[in-house]
Every structure is written in structure tokens, then in C-alpha cells.
Amino acid sequence: MKCQICGIDTVMPYSCPYCGGQFCSQHRLPENHTCPQISRARTQRQNTVKETMNQTGSNGYNYSFNFNPQQTKTHRRSISSFKELKHMSIAILLVIGIGFSIGYYNSRLYGDPNWTLGAMSIFAVCLMTSFLTHELAHKFTAQKKGLWAEFRLNMWGTLMTFASVFLPMFKMIAPGAMMISGTTDRKSILKISVAGPITNIIFATGFFATSLILLPFSSPYSYTFAFVGYINSIMAVLNLIPVSILDGYKIFSVDKKVWATAFIPSVILAIYGMLII
């Protein structure tokens, strides 16, 4: 069984009693995997402490739980570690490779004249920017809440992304994810989780608008920006699906109205993208 946060194979995984996820020993605590049901965990801890106080006759005991406060302090002094920069650099190169791969195979297999070298370059850079902004939105929102947040590659995700660079009919952009840990609340989990998909919705809207502006001028890049908008809309939809460890699961668990507010526009944008592409 693989840990749902770091992807490490775990012979005896820990099952979170609140969200039902499977995690390694490092991420077993609700605070370490940003559990969407963390408020339940805190309530139970507080009740346990109160019961203990009543049984022992103690008073004046203040219960508090802080996960690795030293790590949080270090994080505030340093935005990124060398390890994160290394992992992020590899991910960026893979996403750029995917961008060129999509253009190359569309040009070779389908004879699409829109995919010139210039169009491929613009597409790859825009795709990389979309991916990077999505991850950094999670990171900066988490850091603003005083949490530790760094990007890490996932072995299988990296291998699949690398393979899809060379496969004409299969494309996958999932080399890794932002790892977040620390003590937080439901409101913070909601903001951190929704930050990434929101950037894709904004990018999709912006790229579609740019494509429409260039269309009357018969610009060869109108199609390029429309395709980037389409990819961003698909990224938003997939991330907002309320299953497993996706952002959508955390958002849906905390606030269904916020989830619907983000999911419905992303679906509309994806449908629009499919129609024009």
C-alpha cells in the first residue's frame, strides 16, 4: 500500500480514523496529511483531555498540540530548500517536454499546420507556467498559514510523465505534488486546496479570451492559446474531482458550496474548450 501523501510503499499503512486515508508513519497524524476532518480530531483530543482532568481532579491544564514547531519556524525563514528547487526543476523540464510533445505529435500524426516551432515553444512555456503557478499557489497559501510546504516528485508520477513525452496518444502531467504539513484548521485547508484549481480556472479564462482577441487577425497563435486554455480547464476539472487525495476531495469535505462554485465553471470551460478545439 502506498502512502497517499508521499507515495512511499508501506507494508502496514496507518488508516486515518477521520478521513479513511492510508498513510505512512510520517503522515499518519491528521495534521501531517491536512486531513479534511481535522476539526473532529481536535474535538476528540480536547474531550479526552477534559475526561482525564475530571478523573484525576486536576485543573488549570491547557491542552495544545503543535506539530514540529521548529520546522515551521525554519520554513518561515526559507521559502524553498535546495531539494525542492531540484525536484521542481525536474518537474518543469518534464512539463515543457510534454508541451513540445503535444505539438510535435499533432503536427506529425494529424498534419495540423497550427503547430509550428514557434507555436510549440509558446505552448510549452504557457503549459509550464500554468503547472508552476498551480503548485506555487498551494505553497504560498500554506506558508501564509504558517505551514511547511515544499514540492516533491513522485516516483510513479515522474515515470509516467516522462514516458508520456514519447508516447503519441498518452499524455500525463503529474510528476509530483506540494507536500504540506503542520497544524491547521478546516478554513485553512479549504483555502490551500482551492488555491491551485482557481489558478487553472483563471488561466483557462485568460487564454480563451486571448485566443478570441487574436482570432479576427488570423493569428496562427490563436489556436495555441485556445489549446492552453483547454488544458488548464481539464486540469481544473480533474483536480476538483472529489476523490482520493485530489484537491476536490478536501474542498468537497470542508465546504460543498465552495466546491460547486469552483467545479461548475471549470466544467463549463472544459466543454467550451472541447467545442472549439
Side-chain angles (χ1 to χ4, degrees), residues 75-94:
H75 138 69
R76 288 175 178 170
R77 293 198 301 263
S78 177
I79 296 177
S80 297
S81 67
F82 175 76
K83 184 175 183 179
E84 180 185 34
L85 293 176
K86 181 175 66 175
H87 283 227
M88 187 68 79
S89 297
I90 295 173
I92 288 173
L93 290 176
L94 288 172

Side-chain angles (χ1 to χ4, degrees), residues 75 78-92 131-132 135-140 142-143 147-153 177-180:
H75 138 69
S78 177
I79 296 177
S80 297
S81 67
F82 175 76
K83 184 175 183 179
E84 180 185 34
L85 293 176
K86 181 175 66 175
H87 283 227
M88 187 68 79
S89 297
I90 295 173
I92 288 173
F131 168 79
L132 183 61
E135 297 301 333
L136 291 180
H138 286 310
K139 177 182 178 69
F140 293 147
Q143 289 184 330
L147 304 175
W148 176 87
E150 289 201 0
F151 181 84
R152 291 291 184 268
L153 292 172
M178 194 61 62
M179 299 291 104
I180 300 170

Side-chain angles (χ1 to χ4, degrees), residues 99 102 115 119 122-131 134 173 196-212 214 221-239 265-277:
I102 290 174
W115 292 103
I122 292 175
F123 180 78
V125 171
C126 290
L127 194 63
M128 178 271 294
T129 303
S130 302
F131 168 79
H134 176 108
I173 304 176
I198 287 297
T199 63
N200 293 124
I201 293 173
I202 294 173
F203 272 125
T205 304
F207 284 126
F208 283 144
T210 303
S211 175
L212 291 174
L214 294 176
Y221 301 122
S222 176
Y223 178 82
T224 306
F225 287 117
F227 206 102
V228 181
Y230 172 62
I231 295 296
N232 270 277
S233 66
I234 294 298
M235 289 172 66
V237 170
L238 293 178
N239 274 278
S266 66
V267 171
I268 294 173
L269 288 168
I271 293 174
Y272 172 77
M274 285 189 285
L275 292 175
I276 64 173
I277 294 298

